[in-house]
Amino acid sequence: MDQAALLVDTVCRLAGSEDLISAKSNRLRQAILNHDTPQLFKQLLEAFSLQGISDHAARSYMDHHDSPAWHDLQRATSLSPACSKLRSYWSFHGCGYRKDGRTCAEPGIACRCSLPQHDLRNGRLNQTTYSLFLFIRDVAGGNLVEWIDQTLDQASLNGTARYRVSRMRRALIDPLRNVFGVSDKLLNMALADILMAAPSNKLTWLEAGSGMIAIDTLVHNFLLRTGIQRRLGVQHRFGPACYGTGGCADIIARIAPRIDASQYNPGYPRIFPRFVQHALWRWCAQLELGICNGNNIDDRFRCDNKGCPLFHRCERVVLND
């Protein structure tokens, strides 16, 4: 763990963001204060759309196509929908809509269904849009802020203080994981932006948001290449195991208390797992520092980038042997 913390601390010093809370934070904070569910729905939907292709390509598509708003879906489901799957969150499963073939599980009524009428990038996003709307409407009672408040308050009180942040994170992630088409990575990224934009009196929001850890292939491969996974005896394939016991998220959560994030921004909490994870991502991402990724390293061989500040401490494990 000492070696792992040394490597990660070096990355944080070189790639740690001093302004991790997004430029949207003021608007989000106002939405939270106003219990503005439509705005928070829009924020989550934009985040969930960043999958399958590059962020730039996804945002470019969204810039040139209208996305359905909360009120659009309210109108579409206010009367009995043509498809029974759209009547509640619990009945929305097995939709199967595909944009390319204009097909779904109920082709006989597809022409009267509102779901295919939105020109999203692919049919999975149409399903995600309705699934998220129905979750907020039916499970969260139409008030996302109140649902988050209640969920975090309950989770923070049940159990020991040691696992408080982990409990709060799971209390939000576990039910939302059943929204169609969203992964743990997307949920952690999207919720972190919202929770960390909360006003200062919402301490549980800020605490849970700082603990949201999003694992993608870049972060997973960094922990593998550097030998951190091997040293800690937790080598695993990229996927659900990254969020399991001893997985990538767990590794970062264990390293974070050894790195004082407040030295990068006095407004940051001292223990800030999200900051640590984001620094690792920036270290690897092609459009950020781009040091440790498959575009610069031939994964059939050990990394030979002697200019990397970690070179002499990194185990340079072969990714594809």
Side-chain angles (χ1 to χ4, degrees):
M1 181 56 73
D2 289 341
Q3 173 70 2
L6 181 62
L7 287 168
V8 174
D9 182 63
T10 301
V11 170
C12 287
R13 291 179 183 279
L14 297 172
S17 173
E18 298 177 4
D19 187 22
L20 185 54
I21 298 176
S22 73
K24 296 180 179 180
S25 59
N26 289 336
R27 187 164 72 238
L28 283 173
R29 186 174 298 113
Q30 195 61 48
I32 294 166
L33 288 169
N34 295 340
H35 287 227
D36 187 350
T37 291
Q39 179 61 40
L40 297 176
F41 169 76
K42 179 182 178 183
Q43 171 73 15
L44 287 172
L45 200 55
E46 287 180 359
F48 293 166
S49 298
L50 303 178
Q51 56 178 315
I53 59 175
S54 69
D55 288 3
H56 174 75
R59 293 189 187 281
S60 178
Y61 187 94
M62 287 188 284
D63 288 342
H64 293 88
H65 296 79
D66 291 332
S67 296
W70 174 266
H71 300 297
D72 296 327
L73 274 66
Q74 271 189 324
R75 284 193 296 269
T77 58
S78 59
L79 301 176
S80 181
C83 181
S84 61
K85 296 183 183 300
L86 301 186
R87 292 176 184 170
S88 77
Y89 172 72
W90 298 278
S91 64
F92 186 76
H93 58 85
C95 166
Y97 172 64
R98 292 176 60 89
K99 180 180 178 180
D100 51 1
R102 303 293 290 184
T103 59
C104 67
E106 300 286 350
I109 59 173
C111 62
R112 293 184 285 125
C113 180
S114 60
L115 185 145
Q117 295 175 13
H118 309 291
D119 187 20
L120 302 182
R121 187 163 44 82
N122 57 53
R124 289 183 60 84
L125 290 176
N126 287 61
Q127 295 181 69
T128 297
T129 298
Y130 272 77
S131 184
L132 176 62
F133 168 79
L134 292 169
F135 176 91
I136 297 175
R137 188 194 71 179
D138 297 343
V139 178
N143 190 326
L144 192 58
V145 172
E146 188 173 310
W147 179 76
I148 293 175
D149 274 336
Q150 293 175 354
T151 301
L152 292 179
D153 287 346
Q154 184 175 359
S156 68
L157 297 174
N158 295 335
T160 61
R162 180 180 178 184
Y163 300 106
R164 171 186 167 90
V165 174
S166 177
R167 284 197 313 275
M168 291 193 295
R169 186 174 68 241
R170 287 199 309 271
L172 291 179
I173 295 289
D174 286 352
L176 280 165
R177 191 181 285 128
N178 294 312
V179 170
F180 180 88
V182 298
S183 63
D184 279 34
K185 170 195 167 184
L186 285 172
L187 288 170
N188 276 278
M189 288 174 57
L191 289 172
D193 285 344
I194 291 174
L195 294 169
M196 290 195 299
S200 58
N201 64 325
K202 287 188 176 293
L203 298 179
T204 56
W205 288 53
L206 300 170
E207 198 174 355
S210 68
M212 292 286 176
I213 302 171
I215 304 297
D216 62 1
T217 55
L218 293 174
V219 174
H220 170 86
N221 290 344
F222 172 88
L223 296 174
L224 179 56
R225 283 193 185 102
T226 54
I228 290 175
Q229 285 188 9
R230 187 196 66 78
R231 285 175 176 270
L232 299 181
V234 290
Q235 286 180 268
H236 57 275
R237 292 183 179 276
F238 175 73
C242 291
Y243 291 93
T245 302
C248 297
D250 199 21
I251 290 173
I252 292 173
R254 291 167 60 192
I255 291 174
R258 296 169 174 249
I259 297 171
D260 183 359
S262 65
Q263 65 185 305
Y264 302 98
N265 183 330
Y268 285 172
R270 190 184 69 79
I271 301 174
F272 197 173
R274 169 70 171 158
F275 165 80
V276 175
Q277 168 258 301
H278 187 263
L280 297 181
W281 173 80
R282 290 194 70 227
W283 182 260
C284 303
Q286 186 65 26
L287 296 180
E288 297 289 335
L289 276 71
I291 294 174
C292 187
N293 65 56
N295 293 320
N296 294 331
I297 302 170
D298 188 332
D299 292 329
R300 298 170 298 171
F301 308 101
R302 299 183 74 196
C303 173
D304 61 359
N305 179 13
K306 294 183 180 179
C308 173
L310 304 184
F311 185 81
H312 296 292
R313 296 172 181 166
C314 177
E315 291 191 7
R316 297 180 289 124
V317 174
V318 177
L319 205 60
N320 296 322
D321 53 9

